[in-house]
Amino acid sequence: MSADKKKTNLDFNDIHVAHGLAEVRRQFDVFMENVSFLPRSPPNEAPAAVDLPPPESPAPSLIAEAREITLEDALKRFALISGTTKVWDEHLHRELKSTAFRAEVGAAVAKQFMDASEKRKVLEQDVRQFVAARQAAQKGAGGVGEMLRRFTLLEGTEEVWDRKHWERSPLKVIKHIFPDTYDIWYRHPDRKIVPKKNVVFDPTRKVNPKTHINTFQRLPLNPVRDLDKCRNIRALLWHLCNCDDEVWRWMVRWLAYPLQYVGSKMDTALLVHSDVHGSGKSLFFDVVMRRVYGEYSATLGQHQIESTYTDWKSSLLWGVFEEIFSRDKKYSQTGNIKQMITGATARIEKKFVSGWEEANYMNSAFLSNEVLPFPVEPMDRRFLVVWPEKTLPLELQKGVGEELENGGADAFYGWLLDQQLGDFHTRTKPPMTEAKERLISFGLPSWEVFYRAWESKETDAPFHTCLSGDLYHVYRKWCRAGGFHQMDMNRFSEAMATRVKKKNRLEYDSPGGFGRGIKKGVQGTFFLMHAPPGGKTQKEWLSECVRAFRDEIGAFHEEQPT
């Protein structure tokens, strides 16, 4: 291997050991220059050489040039304030009058936005809650007037929706808070009331705010456009991706998409596992990303997954699952995981309360220090599997902590909002990684491992048409040699039929064995990989296949007709 190739394969830990922290900082600064959104050097100037990722990488660039706001941008960023011509800016959490909105996006886009049927809407009184700019209290503040503005009775329950604290509250509680005016409020003709089913969690803001109560308010952070404030956070993510350019680009877009399109449910999830303790996976996914999602995020474990009560799923946009299965539960809960990732709704069961269905907006990251946290299917399309290979350098860990104390999460949020997504969408298939291939192999049943070995010509048996009983004979010998658990013949035959064509009661002439003569017209079950060649009957061809297969494996055995 050439010296240049060796240098390309170095990562920051190796550079740190060989050349010191100063060289790590220099090379990382050069790399970050190449993924910033405002070019820092003239377009014609040759970029400085960097180690990670390699300059010749074919992966699409993350560099985004400044551009005008499109209708698509406006639809995902703004919401019409119902009953007005004003809009609410989801990113900067501010109210814009129509003239300011036109100045922000341009007259053409402003008109297209107002005419668009898919635009989101919010209530003006909710906007005032968001920006903490309530109007002066009306007469009766602290009494009936305040109660009429603050509480909405949930029809069919003994609860109200409290707009001040943005939560459900029992009637008996507010009766204690407002003992003198409770009865007047309860009988007041202007008291607001909505069906309990109209209290929804809808971060897409598609429900009618005049008829529904949307429990989603807003994401907690205000985006900051300052790359220097989140340099170490981005370096942490690059470190977790093992400096793999393809994994990095997919993961960045996966993180960015549901923030740019709030309420998007990804059909994929992240599985980051490693036996390397202190790689930084919890620091990024549990600490950094939970800062971005705030109250709409949670760190969950085995107790929540196995609990009868599932109210922890309610009103979540981001879920971090740490070591969720014990060794004896890894295979029994895979259906639950699939439902969480791709299910459109989630069943919510809460103690002492009737269960209900809620739209599922939660995107998930699964973290583990186990080699096999849970099985992943061979044809899986749900998981990006990453195996961090190195311990997080202490200097980088310290740098991330300092950034989090000084607006780093706001800057990282702003950086994700500025990502160009290209053709990435909620169902974009994650790249296959070595970690995923290894995880798939760990979870395969013995017949599947055998089939792969047989197909790859790693067994004594030729990969061509044969009797199911002859192949089972080879399989049993292979299991004994490799220490695999054997399946019975019927299960093995049915399992193999999912990979190759199986047909019963086909006639052939058995070559016999052990001094016995040829048996004419025997019937058996065959795995068929090829069609009979021209000029031969099926019986003649199958007889030749049986003879050739047995000659190849070097063993004759009495075939048991099926």
Side-chain angles (χ1 to χ4, degrees), residues 418-436:
D418 286 340
Q419 292 297 316
Q420 295 300 301
L421 301 176
D423 58 357
F424 191 93
H425 52 83
T426 58
R427 296 184 179 179
T428 299
K429 183 179 178 181
M432 177 61 73
T433 61
E434 291 183 8
K436 186 170 184 177

Side-chain angles (χ1 to χ4, degrees), residues 448-463:
E448 178 77 21
V449 180
F450 171 77
Y451 172 77
R452 292 186 173 202
W454 181 39
E455 184 182 36
S456 303
K457 300 180 179 179
E458 297 173 4
T459 69
D460 296 334
F463 188 70

Side-chain angles (χ1 to χ4, degrees), residues 228-290:
D228 289 334
K229 284 191 172 184
C230 62
R231 182 175 298 276
N232 287 297
I233 293 175
R234 288 179 286 135
L236 169 59
L237 181 58
W238 176 249
H239 162 84
L240 289 171
C241 294
N242 298 314
C243 307
D244 184 313
D245 196 67
E246 182 182 16
V247 172
W248 156 269
R249 295 178 188 280
W250 192 93
M251 190 182 292
V252 166
R253 288 172 169 82
W254 186 90
L255 293 169
Y257 194 97
L259 293 173
Q260 293 189 20
Y261 297 91
V262 179
S264 296
K265 180 70 178 77
M266 311 302 285
D267 279 357
T268 48
L270 304 179
L271 172 53
V272 185
H273 72 125
S274 174
D275 60 359
V276 176
H277 292 260
S279 63
K281 53 185 182 291
S282 293
L283 177 59
F284 180 81
F285 294 104
D286 190 22
V287 179
V288 175
M289 290 307 298
R290 286 203 59 189

